[in-house]
């Protein structure tokens, strides 16, 4: 599956591709102008043991050689261990298995290469970036249309103008008559841009979750029925359930479709102190997982709310998260009171002092619809609704927007105008990797258009 | 128009009035001396003087050919040197032991560093200069430079011979023909003719063929260059009228005083020649709506503004300011022309209206109500009436320039071997831009004679590199002026560190730098390195620093210890404060003002420069990939390139992959293909080098030819 689809040699994408030309290029140097080369992460997105990156097209051999330099191409169709390094900086990226499939005996009929790299995001993006050439960047620019492209270009325009005005202030304010308030206007433009970028990047992380799945962690005191809930939501027996507290001692994960959203559901050990070393380790892992969670499903035994473990859980996990009323940076949490079947029918709410919560019986399935509806709402917040607003689909867009935002942060901190301008230049450079432009001549054009300078 | 011969005679007579040492001056009346030189420089302006002196410093027997010796070092436009970006260029010229910075330190009347509050990377060293003193001091310097001779004469033609087979180019220059028919032979020729190529002066609707300030234009030379196939463009520039000092009412204007102490332009000077209290002030006034009216009412009398000759995007004249930014007040700086000069230069009032309207316009400006435009005494001049007249009214100049994409980064032309171009002829404006090119052209003209590799300053190394790279790869269609925003590595290319960037290269690779300067730069370099490592080694907790330097805004919360270098980064901390807090071992670093200031600057930019270093390395890697000089892009078979790209590469002839990638319209795909081509060529060359015998014999043949010449 080509999740990312970038063209390696932009200028080459013109002519129709023929399998014949691929044959000719099978072992020799790639001849540009005869077909596009694409590459992509072909294993799943996100953290994994091994990630596979595939390239297909006439430049595959060249790409493989340049990443594994100084070694030559490996023998066809046999796995070899190679040190991958960045072709320009020489910086080592990973030690990886590489495979070389000269066309036409390959899965696309073209020259193909595979890189089996260690699956951490850093390694994967490092290799992908190394494969990315300037030409490709231009190609990506052309593909950058629609709402995201529109947004990026608008930001680039604002930033270029801000930079040009700072530059005008540096180069001309002592000799010529610039109007008042040039720098103040730039300051407020930069602040607005920062807000817009950070809002967008929050959306971007939601886009990431939409592809990789949101992390939903089920937590609670021992024997609250967490594993039963996991089994209920995944519609299969993932976890062993027993009335014995402490049955689950490790973190168990299962990918599920929750109310239409992909999610990674984790069952964790019940949180309690003073138990055996194995369970203790389970508790430690559970807490760790809780910190990484996009959404916590906090489960309590509705019939056992007064017990010390329930109270402790409420104090340490539920209250800090501000359940039902999440603040900007706090974790999202849904409080579920399980075992509602044990409560007296039609009785009063067992816990009027608790934060907003849902009643559920894993045993009877009562309350499940309500829970799913609540989950859908929460996950729509976490993942973003794919039908509204542009999502950053490319990691590199996100990377450069983040770089832009970081650079803008440096703008505010400095009084040295040369340093401030450098921060804006750096920020503009990051946007330039997405939109292009921002060169000296563009800056000078704006300066001479907006100000009466020169002698 | 004058006869060229006649002018030479006039000048000879006027020269006797000058108190100059003329030891090496070859006048018209003098017996013909040597007619063989290593380097001949044509033109005695800011590019020509630097080129001639640089070639001589490199050890070449050099001749400076100029219309008139008494105009050498003439500041024909504004009475100031330096500024933002331009001051950077001057520091770099100085780092290569060029002249203008040292002469300015002897001739200024008002020294002021611009942008003081905007960060040391963009400080602009600037000074008002006494025109007379500058000219005197420059002439003294030129006429006393060893190996440098000066001769008056107008160059009418170039002597061209067969090209050297090992270099690209259709012919080779081997000397010049003067207007009187005599010839001078030269191994290299540097052309710095400024606005002389088909120069036309415009005032109102009148046009007069002329070069700068009453000199005659070079028409023969222009024709020769055109015949050779040089692509020629046309530019225009202008200058304001001069105002009688006693007619200005300064008392109602804003006064600007010079810096105290004055910061010298040259690295080898501790101070300038004049005390701050003896320097002259400048004054500021503004235009008003009445000025706009006069300009707009009289556009029909103003052919310079209407004509199609390309003017710059910026606003050089009051007409362009009024037309493009109406209803605003524009600044006019009233600048002194010299210590004992009666003239004021109104910076910002460059104008080409008919003379009587110029006065009408000026007298409606505050402080200039009674201003008189100076008309010089006609009898005092050897010039005809109109030439003297245009000396002081505002006027426009239109002139030819050669598209600078026709020269290499060493400023040699692609078409004619050993012919170098520098200054306004390449489409630049400004004394400093001219001087910067002059030094590089002079050095390379000399290196070429010695068959040494060219001296090229990269854009990662200096504003000189930015200037020349912009010109040779992008060309220009407006007078090119330096701005700091053109330099992408601005934080590294600072006025304070030009010596560390260029002096050592100049000394070791070229020999254009004096021993004294080299030793001074070496001392500074080692002191800076030592100082920085000492500052890095001193570490205290933030609370201790806060106690030592209460003025510093150090936040105490940080748990990690702070280095003295980090403390020096705070805006309010300087070396003096730091040395007071930690006298041992820091007090020795505040003995030299320049050293203390440079340590502070290094600290300010330390963390950012670390990041920039990586970018610089990437650019340098691209620049290390040389493109073969004799490549015929139009017919090259092994590389897939579009015809458009081929034409662009053919015209600009970039020397490196880096330069090629900066040419607009050369696509990334084309760059990748070129890169591949270069790599295979390099491999082939390496294989060739394994045949040392053939190589050696080729070298021997070269040497033999050299001796025969």
């Amino acid at each position: 599956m080509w999740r990312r689809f970038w063209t390696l040699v932009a200028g080459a994408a013109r002519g129709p591709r023929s399998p014949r030309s691929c044959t000719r290029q099978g072992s020799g140097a790639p001849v540009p102008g005869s077909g596009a080369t694409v590459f992509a992460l072909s294993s799943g997105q996100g953290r994994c043991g091994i990630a596979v990156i595939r390239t297909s097209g006439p430049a595959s051999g060249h790409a493989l050689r340049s990443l594994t330099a100084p070694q030559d191409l490996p023998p066809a169709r046999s796995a070899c261990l190679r040190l991958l390094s960045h072709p320009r900086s020489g910086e080592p990226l990973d030690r990886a298995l590489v495979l070389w499939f000269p066309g036409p005996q390959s899965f696309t009929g073209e020259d193909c290469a595979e890189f089996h790299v260690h699956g951490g995001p850093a390694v994967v993006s490092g290799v992908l970036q190394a494969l990315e050439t300037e030409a490709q960047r231009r190609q990506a620019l052309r593909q950058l249309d629609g709402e995201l492209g529109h947004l990026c270009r608008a930001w680039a325009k604002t930033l270029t103008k801000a930079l040009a005005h700072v530059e005008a202030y540096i180069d001309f304010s002592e000799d010529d008559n610039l109007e008042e308030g040039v720098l103040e206007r730039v300051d407020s433009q930069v602040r607005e841009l920062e807000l817009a970028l950070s809002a967008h990047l929050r959306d971007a992380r939601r886009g990431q979750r939409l592809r990789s799945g949101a992390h939903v962690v089920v937590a609670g005191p021992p024997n609250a029925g967490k594993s039963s809930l996991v089994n209920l939501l995944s519609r299969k027996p993932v976890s062993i359930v027993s009335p014995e507290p402490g049955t689950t001692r490790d973190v168990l994960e299962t990918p599920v479709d929750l109310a239409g959203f992909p999610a990674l559901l984790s069952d964790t050990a019940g949180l309690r102190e003073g138990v055996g070393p194995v369970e203790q380790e389970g508790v430690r892992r559970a807490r760790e997982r809780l910190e990484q969670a996009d959404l916590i499903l906090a489960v309590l035994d509705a019939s056992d709310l007064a017990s010390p473990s329930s109270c402790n859980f409420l104090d340490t996990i539920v209250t800090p998260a501000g359940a039902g009323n999440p603040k900007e940076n706090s974790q999202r949490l849904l409080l579920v009171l399980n075992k509602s079947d044990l409560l007296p029918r039609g009785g009063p709410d067992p816990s009027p002092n608790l934060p907003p919560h849902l009643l559920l019986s894993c045993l009877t399935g009562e309350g499940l619809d309500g829970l799913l509806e609540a989950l859908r709402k929460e996950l729509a917040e976490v993942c973003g609704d794919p039908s509204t607003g542009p999502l950053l689909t490319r990691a590199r867009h996100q990377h450069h927007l983040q770089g832009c935002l970081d650079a803008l942060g440096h703008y505010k901190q400095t009084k040295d105008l040369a340093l401030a301008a450098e921060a804006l230049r750096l920020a503009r450079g990051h946007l330039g990797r997405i939109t292009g432009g921002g060169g000296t001549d563009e800056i000078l054009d704006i300066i001479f258009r907006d100000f009466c300078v020169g002698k | 128009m004058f006869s060229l011969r006649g002018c030479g005679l006039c000048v000879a007579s006027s020269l006797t009035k000058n108190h100059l040492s003329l030891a090496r001056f070859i006048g018209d009346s003098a017996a013909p001396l040597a007619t063989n030189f290593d380097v001949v420089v044509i033109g005695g302006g800011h590019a020509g003087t630097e080129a001639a002196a640089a070639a001589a410093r490199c050890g070449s027997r050099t001749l400076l050919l100029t219309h008139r010796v008494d105009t050498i070092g003439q500041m024909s436009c504004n009475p100031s040197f330096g500024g933002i970006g331009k001051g950077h260029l001057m520091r770099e010229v100085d780092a290569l032991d060029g002249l203008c910075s040292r002469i300015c330190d002897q001739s200024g009347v008002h020294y002021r560093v611009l942008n003081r509050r905007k960060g040391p990377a963009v400080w602009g060293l600037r000074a008002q200069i006494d025109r007379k003193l500058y000219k005197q001091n420059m002439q003294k310097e030129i006429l006393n430079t060893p190996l440098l001779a000066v001769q008056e004469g107008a160059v009418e033609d170039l002597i061209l011979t067969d090209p050297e087979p090992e270099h690209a180019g259709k012919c080779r220059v081997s000397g010049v023909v003067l207007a009187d028919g005599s010839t001078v032979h030269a191994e290299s020729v540097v052309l710095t003719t400024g606005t002389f190529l088909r120069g036309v002066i415009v005032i109102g609707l009148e046009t007069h063929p002329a070069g700068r300030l009453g000199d005659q234009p070079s028409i023969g030379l222009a024709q020769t260059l055109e015949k050779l196939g040089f692509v020629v463009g046309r530019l225009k520039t202008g200058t304001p009228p001069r105002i009688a000092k006693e007619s200005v009412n300064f008392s109602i204007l804003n006064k600007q005083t010079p810096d105290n102490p004055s910061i010298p332009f040259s690295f080898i000077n501790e101070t300038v020649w004049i005390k701050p209290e003896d320097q002259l002030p400048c004054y500021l006034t503004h235009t008003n709506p009445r000025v706009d009216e006069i300009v707009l009412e009289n556009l029909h009398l103003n052919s310079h503004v209407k004509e199609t000759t390309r003017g710059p995007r910026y606003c050089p004249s009051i007409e362009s300011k009024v037309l493009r930014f109406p209803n605003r007040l524009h600044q006019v700086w009233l600048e002194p022309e010299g210590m004992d000069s009666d003239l004021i230069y109104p910076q910002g009032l460059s104008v080409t209206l008919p003379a009587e309207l110029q006065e009408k316009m000026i007298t409606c400006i505050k402080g200039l109500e009674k201003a008189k435009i100076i008309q010089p005494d006609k009898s005092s001049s050897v010039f005809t009436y109109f030439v003297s007249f245009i000396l002081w009214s505002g006027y426009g100049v239109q002139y030819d320039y050669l598209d600078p994409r026709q020269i290499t980064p060493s400023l040699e032309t692609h078409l004619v071997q050993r012919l170098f171009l520098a200054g306004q002829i390449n489409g630049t404006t400004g004394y400093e831009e001219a001087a910067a090119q002059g030094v590089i052209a002079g050095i390379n003209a000399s290196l070429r004679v010695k068959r040494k590799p060219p001296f090229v300053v990269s854009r990662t190394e200096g504003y000189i590199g930015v200037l020349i790279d912009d010109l040779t790869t992008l060309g220009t269609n407006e007078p090119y002026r330096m701005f700091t925003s053109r330099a992408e590595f601005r934080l590294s290319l600072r006025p304070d560190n030009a010596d560390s960037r260029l002096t050592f290269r100049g000394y070791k690779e070229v020999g254009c730098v004096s021993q004294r300067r080299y030793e001074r730069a070496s001392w500074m370099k080692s002191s800076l390195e030592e100082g920085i490592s000492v500052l890095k080694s001193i570490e205290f907790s933030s609370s201790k620093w806060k106690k030592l330097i209460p003025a510093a805004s150090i936040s105490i919360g940080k748990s990690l210890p702070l280095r003295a270098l980090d403390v020096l980064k705070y805006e309010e901390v300087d070396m003096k404060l730091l040395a007071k807090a930690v006298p041992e071992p820091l007090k020795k670093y505040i003995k030299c003002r320049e050293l203390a200031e440079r340590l502070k600057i290094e600290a300010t930019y330390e963390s950012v420069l670390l990041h920039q270093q990586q970018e610089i390395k990437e650019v340098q890697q691209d620049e290390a990939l040389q493109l073969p000089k004799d490549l015929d892009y139009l017919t090259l078979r092994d590389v897939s390139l579009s015809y458009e790209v081929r034409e662009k590469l053919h015209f600009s002839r970039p020397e490196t992959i880096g330069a090629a990638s900066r040419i607009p319209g050369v696509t990334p795909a084309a760059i990748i293909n070129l890169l591949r081509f270069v790599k295979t060529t390099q491999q082939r060359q390496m294989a060739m080098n394994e045949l040392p015998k053939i190589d050696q014999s080729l070298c021997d043949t070269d040497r033999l030819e050299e001796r025969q010449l």
Side-chain angles (χ1 to χ4, degrees):
Chain A
M1 173 169 42
W2 301 102
R3 296 219 183 176
R4 295 166 196 225
F5 190 85
W6 292 332
T7 306
L8 199 60
V9 179
R14 291 180 201 121
R17 242 178 275 159
S18 75
R20 207 151 180 219
S21 68
C22 289
T23 323
R24 250 190 288 123
Q25 294 145 22
S27 48
V31 179
S34 56
T37 299
V38 296
F39 68 90
L41 178 64
S42 57
S43 58
Q45 202 86 12
R47 196 176 285 275
C48 53
I50 295 288
V52 179
I53 294 167
R54 273 179 180 166
T55 80
S56 172
S60 293
H62 177 69
L64 181 53
R65 242 195 310 253
S66 64
L67 257 77
T68 57
Q71 303 232 49
D72 209 350
L73 288 177
R77 290 174 295 281
S78 72
C80 295
L81 188 65
R82 290 277 193 276
L83 178 69
L84 302 187
S85 27
H86 197 284
R88 275 183 75 169
S89 66
E91 171 198 356
L93 298 165
D94 192 18
R95 194 167 287 279
L97 278 184
V98 297
L99 288 123
W100 167 232
F101 305 98
Q105 282 116 16
S106 71
F107 46 91
T108 60
E110 297 179 314
D111 286 356
C112 290
E114 274 187 17
F115 302 84
H116 295 223
V117 300
H118 293 98
V123 172
V124 173
S125 76
V127 175
L128 287 173
Q129 266 168 25
L131 282 166
E132 186 191 5
T133 63
E134 177 71 2
Q136 212 184 338
R137 185 178 70 77
R138 298 288 165 95
Q139 178 73 13
L141 294 186
R142 251 170 273 140
Q143 291 167 352
L144 181 72
D145 42 19
E147 203 177 342
L148 177 61
H150 185 72
L151 260 179
C152 286
R153 277 187 289 272
W155 291 331
K157 198 177 158 196
T158 309
L159 189 50
T160 310
K161 192 171 168 181
L163 174 58
H165 285 201
V166 172
E167 295 288 357
Y169 200 79
I170 289 175
D171 272 337
F172 301 102
S173 69
E174 303 253 333
D175 258 350
D176 293 283
N177 207 6
L178 303 192
E179 310 99 87
E180 299 286 305
V182 172
L183 289 185
E184 288 76 4
R185 274 202 302 281
V186 170
D187 286 350
S188 68
Q189 278 163 355
V190 168
R191 268 194 300 276
E192 279 168 34
L193 193 59
E194 271 189 297
L195 288 177
L197 278 175
S198 44
H200 195 85
L201 280 166
R202 270 199 304 278
D203 286 353
R205 275 184 282 277
R206 299 194 301 188
Q208 180 76 29
R209 289 187 194 111
L210 184 59
R211 285 190 309 279
S212 326
H215 281 263
V216 178
V217 177
V218 181
N223 214 19
K226 299 178 292 297
S227 299
S228 304
L229 180 58
V230 167
N231 289 348
L232 184 67
L233 288 173
S234 58
R235 297 182 195 89
K236 57 186 175 190
V238 174
S239 308
I240 303 164
V241 280
S242 82
E244 184 84 12
T247 308
T248 306
R249 295 185 176 183
D250 199 353
V251 178
L252 294 173
E253 283 184 348
T254 179
V256 293
D257 180 313
L258 277 185
F261 289 92
L264 200 61
L265 195 58
S266 306
D267 187 10
T268 61
L271 298 176
R272 61 172 172 177
E273 312 287 332
V275 286
V278 176
E279 198 185 338
Q280 201 57 48
E281 174 62 16
V283 170
R284 193 191 64 75
R285 289 184 190 187
R287 289 194 188 280
E288 199 177 272
R289 188 55 58 103
L290 271 179
E291 281 169 21
Q292 300 163 3
D294 294 320
L295 174 65
I296 300 171
L297 271 180
V299 184
L300 285 174
D301 185 339
S303 63
D304 187 31
L305 291 175
S307 73
S309 62
S310 289
C311 291
N312 187 34
F313 182 78
L314 278 168
D315 288 348
T316 56
I317 306 290
V318 179
T319 314
N325 178 25
K327 285 176 285 269
E328 185 57 21
N329 289 317
S330 64
Q331 270 179 316
R332 298 191 161 270
L333 182 143
L334 272 181
L335 181 57
V336 179
L337 303 185
N338 189 24
K339 307 189 189 176
S340 62
D341 47 295
L342 296 182
L343 296 175
R345 283 237 155 236
D349 191 321
S351 46
N353 300 327
L354 281 183
H357 53 266
L358 297 154
L359 284 174
L360 175 75
S361 165
C362 287
L363 193 69
T364 65
E366 198 184 343
L368 182 61
D369 287 346
L371 174 62
L372 283 176
E373 178 54 26
L375 273 172
R376 195 195 62 74
K377 275 191 192 147
E378 291 290 329
L379 286 173
E381 281 293 318
V382 171
C383 300
D385 188 338
S387 61
T388 64
L391 289 171
L392 282 185
T393 47
R394 288 200 179 84
R396 57 183 296 277
H397 289 165
Q398 190 181 336
H399 170 79
H400 288 302
L401 287 183
Q402 187 64 52
C404 178
L405 185 62
D406 294 346
L408 291 180
H410 287 286
Y411 169 82
K412 290 188 300 187
Q413 291 165 7
T414 174
K415 279 186 187 158
D416 182 315
L417 210 56
L419 279 172
E422 187 67 19
L424 291 188
R425 280 184 187 208
L426 214 64
R428 183 62 185 84
H430 276 292
L431 277 189
R433 305 287 293 173
I434 305 175
T435 64
T440 306
D441 229 50
E442 199 182 333
I443 302 285
L444 288 177
D445 270 337
I446 297 173
I447 294 177
F448 298 134
R449 189 195 66 207
D450 291 356
F451 303 106
C452 183
V453 292
K455 51 184 176 188
Chain B
M1 222 196 301
F2 321 96
S3 92
L4 301 165
R5 184 86 189 141
C7 181
L9 288 172
C10 290
V11 170
S13 67
S14 73
L15 265 169
T16 50
K17 292 175 205 153
N18 279 334
H19 312 286
L20 292 171
S21 141
L22 298 179
R24 268 172 306 280
F25 168 57
I26 311 159
D28 266 12
S29 52
L33 296 176
T35 53
N36 269 311
F37 288 90
D38 294 329
V39 175
V40 165
V41 177
I42 304 164
H46 301 285
T49 47
E50 294 289 355
R57 283 201 304 280
C58 294
S60 291
R61 289 174 306 115
T62 306
L63 175 69
L64 175 63
L65 270 172
T66 172
H67 283 103
R68 295 170 24 214
V69 170
D70 71 340
T71 59
I72 287 176
Q74 173 103 278
M75 297 169 66
S76 54
C77 197
N78 50 314
S80 63
F81 253 92
I84 301 153
K86 289 165 175 272
H88 292 66
L89 282 172
M90 287 177 73
R91 275 285 166 116
E92 293 177 8
V93 168
D94 185 64
L96 293 168
D97 230 347
L99 313 178
C100 64
S101 293
R102 279 185 288 129
I103 306 292
C104 281
D105 286 345
Q106 302 162 15
S107 321
V109 293
H110 176 117
Y111 293 86
R112 209 167 90 86
V113 177
L114 306 182
N115 270 353
R116 264 291 187 195
R117 281 183 307 242
K118 291 175 203 154
V122 294
W123 285 350
L125 281 81
R126 187 178 188 278
Q128 297 303 136
I129 306 289
D130 184 312
R131 287 181 195 279
K132 217 168 75 187
L133 274 178
Y134 188 87
K135 202 155 88 171
Q136 270 174 18
N137 288 327
M138 180 57 91
Q139 289 179 9
K140 203 157 84 190
E141 177 79 28
I142 288 291
L143 295 170
N144 287 299
T145 300
L147 293 178
L148 175 57
V150 179
Q151 183 179 338
E152 286 191 343
V155 172
E156 269 300 294
D157 212 344
L158 302 172
I159 303 172
L160 300 170
T161 49
D162 288 340
E164 296 162 285
E166 71 273 23
H167 290 281
K170 69 156 101 154
C171 54
R172 172 198 158 161
V173 67
S174 58
V176 294
V177 182
L178 301 186
D180 63 3
S182 62
T183 57
V184 179
H185 288 274
E187 298 287 311
S188 292
V189 172
V190 183
L191 211 53
T192 69
T193 51
T195 59
F196 282 73
L197 289 181
R198 274 195 282 251
V200 170
I201 282 184
V202 190
I203 308 178
L205 297 173
E206 291 174 59
T207 60
H208 311 281
R212 163 207 72 175
L213 278 180
D215 292 322
Q216 60 294 112
S218 319
I219 289 178
L221 200 55
Q223 282 167 349
T224 301
L225 293 173
E226 209 158 38
K227 254 184 269 161
L228 278 166
F230 280 100
V231 176
V232 176
R234 205 149 172 81
L235 291 174
K236 61 182 182 182
T237 179
T239 183
R242 312 299 148 83
I243 296 170
K245 196 174 189 173
E246 82 275 353
S247 69
V248 180
N249 180 9
F250 292 114
S251 63
I252 55 168
L253 299 178
N254 293 330
K255 182 173 171 179
Q256 186 192 51
T257 50
D259 283 346
N260 188 2
S262 304
I263 307 296
F265 285 99
S266 175
F267 283 102
I268 57 171
N269 288 335
E270 301 266 337
T271 59
V272 299
W273 73 292
I274 185 172
K275 283 190 229 133
E277 55 268 34
D278 296 334
Q279 295 177 20
L280 303 173
C282 293
Y283 293 88
L284 178 64
T285 182
H286 291 90
T287 64
N288 53 48
R290 184 70 194 120
V291 171
D292 289 25
E293 274 169 42
I294 294 172
V295 168
L296 295 173
E297 278 163 13
N298 296 291
L299 281 179
H300 61 289
L301 298 173
N302 202 334
S303 62
H304 191 62
V305 177
K306 285 185 295 189
E307 288 200 359
T308 50
T309 314
R310 225 177 249 279
R313 283 170 297 181
Y314 48 89
C315 298
S317 65
I318 189 66
E319 290 97 331
S320 60
K321 288 179 197 195
V322 168
L323 285 172
R324 288 180 41 206
F325 293 90
N327 307 319
R328 287 204 205 171
L329 305 186
H330 303 285
Q331 285 184 334
V332 177
W333 286 100
L334 301 178
E335 303 176 347
E337 291 242 327
M339 252 352 200
D340 54 3
S341 167
D342 304 330
L343 298 181
I344 288 293
Y345 182 94
Q347 172 86 270
L349 272 190
S350 171
V351 62
T352 56
L353 281 170
E356 58 283 6
L357 287 168
Q358 293 188 14
E359 192 150 289
K360 190 175 165 195
M361 179 190 82
I362 281 177
T363 49
C364 61
I365 294 173
K366 185 183 172 191
L368 302 180
E369 293 85 354
K370 294 186 177 140
K372 286 271 167 287
I373 294 182
I374 287 289
Q375 310 281 339
D377 178 6
K378 289 162 208 164
S379 61
S380 73
S381 169
V382 294
F383 307 118
T384 61
Y385 169 68
F386 94 76
V387 174
S388 20
F389 170 77
I390 60 165
L391 275 174
W392 311 118
S393 286
Y395 63 92
V397 181
Q398 303 185 354
Y399 57 97
D400 279 357
Y401 75 109
L402 304 182
D403 189 322
R405 286 173 290 181
Q406 302 168 97
I407 51 177
T408 67
S410 69
L411 301 183
E412 185 175 356
T413 66
H414 295 310
L415 278 172
V416 181
Q417 296 172 354
R418 295 173 179 245
L419 178 65
F420 294 80
L421 306 178
Q424 270 176 303
I425 193 171
N426 288 333
T428 61
T429 176
Y431 306 149
E432 305 80 359
E433 287 82 351
Q437 294 170 66
V439 171
I440 299 299
I443 288 172
N444 281 302
S446 172
L447 289 173
R448 189 74 163 77
V449 176
K450 296 182 198 160
R451 292 169 186 265
K452 283 194 186 163
F455 179 76
V456 173
V457 178
S458 142
R459 57 190 301 133
T460 63
E461 273 177 314
Y463 278 65
I464 294 182
V466 173
L467 169 78
I468 294 176
D469 184 63
D470 279 353
L471 289 174
T472 56
T473 59
L474 311 176
T476 184
N477 48 27
E478 66 191 5
Y480 182 101
R481 185 181 150 190
M482 184 46 75
F483 308 116
T484 68
S485 40
R486 295 190 191 271
E488 54 273 65
F489 302 117
R490 181 164 61 191
L491 298 183
S492 309
L493 313 182
R494 303 186 308 267
D496 65 276
N497 68 4
D499 59 343
S500 67
R501 291 182 274 124
L502 295 174
T503 299
F504 302 104
R505 280 196 66 196
Y507 182 82
K508 287 175 185 152
E509 292 174 37
V510 183
C512 68
V513 170
S514 71
Q515 188 64 29
R516 181 181 158 217
R517 180 183 293 273
Y518 174 72
E519 278 163 14
R520 161 98 190 160
S522 306
W523 173 82
M524 183 57 77
K525 183 171 184 253
S526 58
S527 305
L528 276 171
E529 282 167 0
E530 184 195 296
I532 289 169
S533 76
V534 167
L535 287 167
K536 280 182 178 168
S537 70
I538 300 173
E539 280 191 343
F540 297 132
S541 70
S542 50
S543 54
K544 178 159 182 201
W545 278 118
K546 185 79 196 167
K547 232 176 274 165
L548 284 169
I549 310 175
S553 59
I554 300 166
S555 57
I556 307 177
K558 286 175 191 160
S559 54
L560 288 171
L562 274 178
R563 304 172 303 169
L565 194 69
D566 300 318
V567 176
L568 191 54
K569 284 175 191 175
Y570 286 90
E571 215 191 340
E572 56 282 359
V573 179
D574 61 10
M575 275 306 286
K576 243 186 187 162
L577 216 56
L578 207 56
K580 220 168 116 191
V582 193
E584 282 311 325
L586 292 182
K587 71 167 189 254
K588 72 181 226 198
Y589 297 103
I590 56 168
K591 280 184 197 144
C592 168
R593 176 195 58 82
E594 192 192 340
L595 176 62
E597 195 166 72
R598 285 176 71 165
L599 282 170
K600 164 80 183 163
I601 297 173
E602 292 292 343
T604 306
Y605 294 123
E606 192 221 3
S607 41
V608 189
L609 288 185
L610 226 62
H611 172 82
Q612 194 152 89
Q613 225 47 46
Q614 182 57 37
E615 271 180 73
I616 288 180
K617 225 187 244 165
E618 278 171 26
V619 172
Q620 281 171 346
Q621 273 170 359
D622 285 350
E623 282 177 349
L625 295 163
Q626 300 269 339
L627 289 163
K629 285 192 180 136
D630 51 353
L631 216 53
D632 184 351
Y633 290 102
L634 297 179
T635 57
L636 192 64
R637 282 240 190 117
D638 312 345
V639 188
S640 149
L641 297 169
S642 74
Y643 193 70
E644 190 198 346
V645 167
R646 282 172 189 271
E647 275 193 321
K648 285 191 163 137
L649 293 169
H650 175 72
F651 189 67
S652 294
R653 309 207 64 79
E655 294 206 332
T656 65
I657 285 285
S661 69
R662 287 189 287 272
I663 298 173
V666 175
T667 60
I671 294 296
I672 292 171
N673 295 345
L674 269 181
L675 189 65
R676 216 168 278 146
F677 175 78
V678 171
K679 290 226 160 127
T680 42
T681 315
Q682 276 176 349
Q683 278 161 6
R684 217 174 294 148
Q685 258 169 2
M686 264 156 65
M688 286 280 282
N689 289 346
E690 282 162 22
L691 306 164
K693 272 186 186 170
I694 300 167
D695 210 34
Q696 190 56 45
S697 67
L698 276 174
C699 279
D700 287 343
T701 327
D702 277 359
R703 267 184 224 123
L704 202 65
E705 275 172 8
E706 204 169 9
R707 244 174 270 134
Q708 280 167 348
L709 283 168

